[in-house]
Amino acid sequence: MRPMPQPPAFASLTADAYRQLEHAASLKGLLKPFKGKGELEHLAQVARVIEAQLQQLMAAVSQQAGRPPFSLLDIRLVQQNTSAGSTFLRWRSRDFSRMGVAVWERQMSCTNLPQDLREALYRIECDRIALNLQMSVTHSLYRQATACAAKMANAEQALRQFVNPVEESR
């Protein structure tokens, strides 16, 4: 491994990075009685907006991890789109033959890795873990809100089937 240049400080995500998400992501909007499918559709829409904002934060972290000195390592942080429609940050080997936290652990165990670079990789990993958790929860909320909105629409349709014939016979 070649000698590493002095790494710039990795800028971990701060409260400022999350400021926009704070207002949209209040649990007050979730823990209330929903009066119909419209409110659930709105909740799903809010979850989609938060997902897009989380993707922007993920892109910022992966861009930082893609610059020197990190780009000189045998590890890459990439955004991976899933078949479920969400995005996660994943560690990959430089040749893309291996993926997962084991790739990161292997890089961390290199004895010639400078301590400040090791600490920066640790901060990147902490941001990756937190962002993946937040994306997973937000995407699950989106899916559940969408499914529940459809169920409420079906319930409303069933009600109308049984209410309208009675009203028409009067």
Side-chain angles (χ1 to χ4, degrees), residues 91 98-107:
W91 290 109
R98 293 179 313 279
M99 180 176 73
V101 74
V103 174
W104 176 83
E105 288 171 344
R106 186 176 186 176
Q107 184 68 65

Side-chain angles (χ1 to χ4, degrees), residues 24-79:
S26 169
L27 283 180
K28 287 190 311 187
L30 174 62
L31 303 175
K32 68 176 187 174
F34 290 98
K35 296 185 177 28
K37 72 175 182 152
E39 289 182 354
L40 287 165
E41 289 169 341
H42 180 265
L43 179 62
Q45 180 183 24
V46 168
R48 273 295 195 214
V49 168
I50 293 169
E51 279 185 328
Q53 291 170 335
L54 286 170
Q55 284 178 346
Q56 290 175 347
L57 292 177
M58 288 177 166
V61 170
S62 63
Q63 283 173 357
Q64 281 193 76
R67 289 189 219 127
F70 309 109
S71 62
L72 302 174
L73 300 173
D74 291 331
I75 190 172
R76 300 287 176 263
L77 185 65
V78 297
Q79 288 181 267

